[in-house]
Amino acid sequence: MIARLLFTAAAVTPWLIHAAPAFAEEAADAYEAVDTSDAIVVTARRRAENLQDIPVAVAVVGGEALDAQGTYNISKLTQLQPTLQFFSTNPRNTFINIRGIGAPFGLTNDGFEQGVGVYIDQVYYNRIASATLDFVDVEQIEVLRGPQGTLYGKNTTAGAINITTRAPSFEFEGKAEVSLGNYNFKQAKASISGPLTENLAARLSLSSTDRRGTIYNVATDTWINSQDNIGIRGALLWEPSDTLSITFAGDFNLQNPICCGQIYARVGTTQRALNRQYAALTALFPGYQVPSTNPFDRLTDLDADIAARNELGGASLRAEWDLGAGTLTSVTAWRYWHWGPKNDRDFTGLPVYTKVNNPTVQNQYTQELRYAHEAEKLDFVVGAFAFYQEIRTSGIQETGPAASAWLLNPTNALSRNPAVLNGIVAENDIRLDNLSLAAFGKVNWHVTDALTISPGIRINYDKKEGLYDSVVIGTASDGTRQLITNDPTHPYYTDPWTAAQRGTQASQFFEPNFSDWNLSYDLNIAYEVTDDILAYATYARSFKTGGINLNGVPSRSDGTPALDVAQIKPEKVDHFEIGLKTQFWDRAATFNVSAYWTEINDFQASVISNVSGSNVLRGYLANADKVRVRGIEADFSVRPSERFNAYLSGAFTDHEFVKFVDAPCPPELAGGGTGTPAGPAATPGANSPANCNVSGQWLPGVSKWAFSWGAEYNVPATILGREGEAYLGYDANYRSKFSSNASRSIYTDISGYSLHNFRAGFRTESFDIFGWVRNAFDQNYFESLAVTPGNTGLISAQLGDPQTWGGTIKFTF
């Protein structure tokens, strides 16, 4: 049945088919059903197709490959996919980009959309944070590159990650897996599936991951940045007839690690007066010294509580009905996300900020209805999509006794009085109601047996209603607890204490909103040169909907919020792509290559602005005039025999802000008086423009060169009387230098690095036991570098994992 096959077909890379005999047999059954012998089956175009037959840039990773390589969440997927970029300082502050675009870098804001869509079993996950769960019983992952929207529920400008879990089976099956490793790593996975009645099947899957942290906090005598995850997923498949299948699925996931801390990386000179930079500020606290100035000593002294409780789950109902010459699909889903963080946002062992916590509750509801029609000359997909999201954040920020010395100008006598800024409390009420409605369609016109023309169209309506209400309470010089307000008529406005506190943080209230219609479209032309060579070309006019700023906005001189920057304009995308897909050596090898050119007007980017000329920096989202990303990508895989397979993927990405004249300045040009953006000044304060022209500079987070490669070799072997295969596997990836700041800085470029992973083991049809080492050469590397608040010159770091090693045993029954 086409409907059932569409999203349950087994699909793995060719080298993996032989690598796992039991799974290969399962996959072969699916291939036979879609008449694609010895092929990779994908659902990128909402139907089961051979990967080599679809004119789309898409990469596929099978579930067995994910398990073998230790890729158990999205963050590790980037090591297998060169065009993916992943950035995370905690689950909420998580972003995924494809080809360098997708989400603004370095600023969390609930009021904007992702440019990369994440789908799990056809259900759209609106926040990357809500998709940071461990993979549970995954069948395969498809990474689609380039704008999507004429086939998928939510419009996305950069691409989509389509994750398919294993479906309930009408034959009994099960598997279990246990892994142990250094850093007290413990992971267990299990799944079981089988029939309950003649037409009802069930599947239950569980996953648990636990690992000690990799950074030692000397202030609390604890290891931080640990892992503590548990997930459960269940599904029921009901097939009342040969033409109808209904799947009900639900999941629950809880992450509760001691996390997440960014540590001292380095110190640079900013344009602040020297007595307001890091060295002078820390000298105000006799005896204070950072535990280590070498970040790879993995030491910190964060003194505030840290936590990253992340609970997420939901339920979905999917119905697939063979109707006429096509399939009608309905996907109804509810997702929830509860985020409970605790942070140390001064990044030091000093009590500057004692609390910076923004717990969030989110509920989202989606409904997709889609009809896929197939015919000899003309097939099409038409659909409608509705999305509603409700986010409620009730945050708190509190300053401590070190805040006065750290945040106030040392020439101000109040800076020597810890009581002035001690105990300022900001209570934040942030709300978002987000509605999106869309209708879309895609036609495949088979002009000849070789030529197919595929136009697509989408109309979208988006509406966002927000609220930002920050109430800041401090202590006036007479000891009275007072509202810290921007209103000049307030009786305590001129009180010296409250004036100093207002320069640090003040109350703000506004209710931003956004609504708009958008039309997007694309045209794809595919030509089958031979049975083994497919050429294609694509043009897409896409968009990313506008948004609203929900982290506060700058204040005008009269104290009112600058509502003209509360709204973010939509991105407008022009995308061109050509590609070639080939098979050769009797289809033992594939080589696919694509070249693309993407231009985005009104690119949504991070901006930093001074608030009313005070020392407070306010980050918010705005629009850069234009960016351009262009590049070439290639994927090669080969399986010359049953004993050996290999792959190589690479990407060259040329990326720049074509025009961005009012960007935030990098730290070396920020924090002082006025000047020109000619370059770093010898004298702090001599060269600090209000904003900088970064036209021609790199986009953040993108490497010019990125590669992933690997191979596996096996030989027949008999161990303890069991016949099977002994094997050795190797996987690696490399990325070149990239910028880790919204505007490129001399302090935040991250040098290129490579990671190498090895595994060796023995497998039969019923079990697999192997040892593994990841980051085998213990490469020290930064995942991100960030400018800390206040332009003190302190740069914080998010470190990549050190060398890890362990063993895994898997049973299939």
Side-chain angles (χ1 to χ4, degrees), residues 34 47 67 84 89 92 163 174 210 235 272 311 316-317 326 349 397 406 440 468 525 550 552 558 619 728 776 785:
V34 293
R47 54 172 55 87
D67 292 342
L84 270 181
T89 53
R92 183 173 187 262
I163 301 173
D210 184 81
R272 266 189 163 197
E311 179 186 333
S316 66
L317 182 67
Q397 177 172 296
W406 193 268
F440 55 87
Y468 179 83
I525 299 175
L550 285 177
D558 62 359
L728 175 66
L785 292 171

Side-chain angles (χ1 to χ4, degrees), residues 58-370:
V58 55
V60 184
V61 183
E64 295 292 314
L66 295 170
D67 292 342
Q69 298 170 26
T71 305
Y72 53 87
N73 55 37
I74 285 182
S75 68
K76 296 183 180 296
L77 186 62
T78 58
Q79 296 184 17
L80 304 178
Q81 299 293 324
T83 53
L84 270 181
Q85 296 90 37
F86 179 91
F87 313 100
S88 179
T89 53
N90 60 47
R92 183 173 187 262
N93 294 359
T94 298
F95 308 96
I96 293 179
N97 286 351
I98 293 177
R99 295 172 170 172
I101 54 179
F105 188 86
L107 183 65
T108 300
N109 188 326
D110 290 328
F112 74 92
E113 301 289 338
Q114 305 290 330
V116 175
V118 177
Y119 296 83
I120 300 181
D121 291 332
Q122 302 190 54
V123 176
Y124 173 69
Y125 286 52
N126 189 57
R127 280 286 172 269
I128 300 298
S130 66
T132 56
L133 47 86
D134 282 0
F135 296 148
V136 180
D137 214 10
V138 167
E139 183 74 73
Q140 70 176 30
I141 297 179
E142 302 166 14
V143 179
L144 288 79
R145 307 190 289 267
Q148 310 298 322
T150 59
L151 284 168
Y152 278 76
K154 195 74 169 72
N155 189 67
T156 53
T157 54
I161 299 174
N162 186 25
I163 301 173
T164 304
T165 66
R166 293 186 173 94
S169 169
F170 282 92
E171 293 184 4
F172 177 79
E173 62 182 35
K175 65 177 187 175
E177 172 184 329
V178 176
S179 299
L180 299 175
N182 62 338
Y183 296 98
N184 295 329
F185 176 77
K186 299 178 288 292
Q187 185 175 73
K189 299 179 182 180
S191 68
I192 189 170
S193 183
L196 300 179
T197 67
E198 183 178 355
N199 55 13
L200 181 66
R203 189 174 200 97
L204 181 66
S205 308
L206 304 107
S207 174
S208 175
T209 303
D210 184 81
R211 193 183 78 177
R212 193 203 77 187
T214 57
I215 295 173
Y216 182 67
N217 189 347
V218 301
T220 58
D221 189 26
T222 57
W223 291 93
I224 67 170
N225 293 9
S226 62
Q227 296 179 15
D228 183 4
N229 307 337
I230 187 169
I232 181 170
R233 184 178 189 87
L236 291 171
L237 172 62
W238 181 42
E239 293 187 343
S241 71
D242 292 338
T243 60
L244 176 65
S245 68
I246 298 174
T247 303
F248 175 75
D251 67 284
F252 169 82
N253 303 271
L254 177 63
Q255 304 168 355
N256 196 22
I258 305 172
C259 189
C260 298
Q262 292 76 56
I263 68 174
Y264 177 105
R266 60 181 62 131
V267 171
T269 301
T270 74
Q271 297 300 306
R272 266 189 163 197
L274 288 175
N275 63 1
R276 302 199 66 199
Q277 298 198 40
Y278 181 81
L281 291 173
T282 54
L284 297 175
F285 302 89
Y288 177 75
Q289 187 175 1
V290 66
S292 175
T293 57
N294 178 3
F296 298 108
D297 286 341
R298 297 181 180 269
L299 298 174
T300 189
D301 61 348
L302 302 179
D303 60 321
D305 291 338
I306 63 170
R309 190 181 191 278
N310 197 35
E311 179 186 333
L312 48 141
S316 66
L317 182 67
R318 183 174 76 247
E320 296 164 314
W321 182 24
D322 288 353
L323 188 63
T327 301
L328 180 66
T329 302
S330 171
V331 184
T332 306
W334 160 72
R335 302 291 309 166
Y336 81 94
W337 170 42
H338 293 174
W339 167 235
K342 295 180 181 179
N343 300 300
D344 190 332
R345 279 296 175 260
D346 55 64
F347 302 93
T348 71
L350 300 169
V352 179
Y353 292 100
T354 55
K355 294 179 182 178
V356 185
N357 311 327
N358 284 288
T360 296
V361 174
Q362 170 185 305
N363 284 279
Q364 73 164 55
Y365 307 86
T366 56
Q367 173 62 56
E368 184 169 354
L369 192 64
R370 190 176 62 249

